[in-house]
């Protein structure tokens, strides 16, 4: 008896078409963005840079200008990314988009990955000690098992 394997022709490219990276301004998220940028460049993929804007009802109730603060963070991240892209222009070409999604980091990144049809997700390792016990966003994304997840230290 011989086994027959069905071979199906694949169109397009090998590798990811959309690489999503979560950024929040932390050093590890910026290292993740740099790593993801290199992946996107080598794979000729779109780099989707995502900032999850926290929804803090408690902060708003205390009179803290939460929305303004998170908008400023998003604007600052866009400025940093544009600056880095401009410095690398002509050396490395990377197609990228910046997106903000509301919510907590895990659910925001899941929603972003689904809506943007991400093929891979890159995040920075948590810099908070409590996450070693409770579980970080990165661990939760890996456990979701829906995309390849790269965690950058």
């Amino acid at each position: 008896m011989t086994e027959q394997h069905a071979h199906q022709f694949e169109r397009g490219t090998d590798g990811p078409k959309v690489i999503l990276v979560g950024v929040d301004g932390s050093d590890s998220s910026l290292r993740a963005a740099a790593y993801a940028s290199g992946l996107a460049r080598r794979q000729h993929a779109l780099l989707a840079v995502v900032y999850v804007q926290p929804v803090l009802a408690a902060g708003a109730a205390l009179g803290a200008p939460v929305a303004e603060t998170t908008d400023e963070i998003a604007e600052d991240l866009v400025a940093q990314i544009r600056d880095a892209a401009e410095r690398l222009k002509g050396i490395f070409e990377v197609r990228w988009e910046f997106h903000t999604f509301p919510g907590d980091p895990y659910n925001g990144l899941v929603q972003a990955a689904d809506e943007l049809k991400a093929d891979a997700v890159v995040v920075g390792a948590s810099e908070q000690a409590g996450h070693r016990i409770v579980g970080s966003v990165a661990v939760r994304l890996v456990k979701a098992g829906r995309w390849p997840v790269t965690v950058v230290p």
Side-chain angles (χ1 to χ4, degrees):
M1 272 185 130
T2 61
E3 263 185 65
Q4 287 188 335
H5 297 283
H7 293 284
Q8 188 172 355
F9 179 75
E10 289 184 28
R11 286 186 172 241
T13 61
D14 287 336
K17 291 181 182 150
V18 177
I19 297 173
L20 183 144
V21 62
V23 294
D24 62 7
S26 66
D27 287 344
S28 67
S29 80
L30 296 176
R31 285 191 296 272
Y35 182 85
S37 177
L39 286 177
R41 179 183 56 81
R42 288 187 295 279
Q43 296 289 338
H44 305 289
L46 173 67
L47 178 63
V49 181
V50 174
Y51 170 61
V52 178
Q53 208 161 7
V55 178
L56 302 173
L62 297 172
V66 174
E68 288 177 24
T69 304
T70 58
D71 284 345
E72 287 172 17
I73 292 169
E75 288 169 15
D76 184 50
L77 288 169
V78 170
Q80 287 182 49
I81 294 162
R82 281 203 176 109
D83 182 48
E86 197 57 40
R87 282 194 313 258
L88 296 174
K89 204 170 197 162
I91 302 169
F92 298 118
E93 294 297 328
V94 176
R95 293 181 305 120
W96 64 277
E97 300 173 348
F98 183 82
H99 301 271
T100 59
F101 284 80
D104 67 275
Y106 172 75
N107 288 311
L109 289 174
V110 167
Q111 179 186 356
D114 285 346
E115 287 186 21
L116 300 171
K117 297 181 175 33
D119 297 302
V121 176
V122 180
V123 291
S126 175
E127 296 178 351
Q128 296 180 8
H131 286 176
R132 290 185 188 89
I133 300 162
V134 178
S136 67
V137 171
V139 169
R140 291 174 68 194
L141 288 168
V142 170
K143 286 183 176 179
R146 293 166 57 185
W147 327 265
V149 177
T150 302
V151 183
V152 178

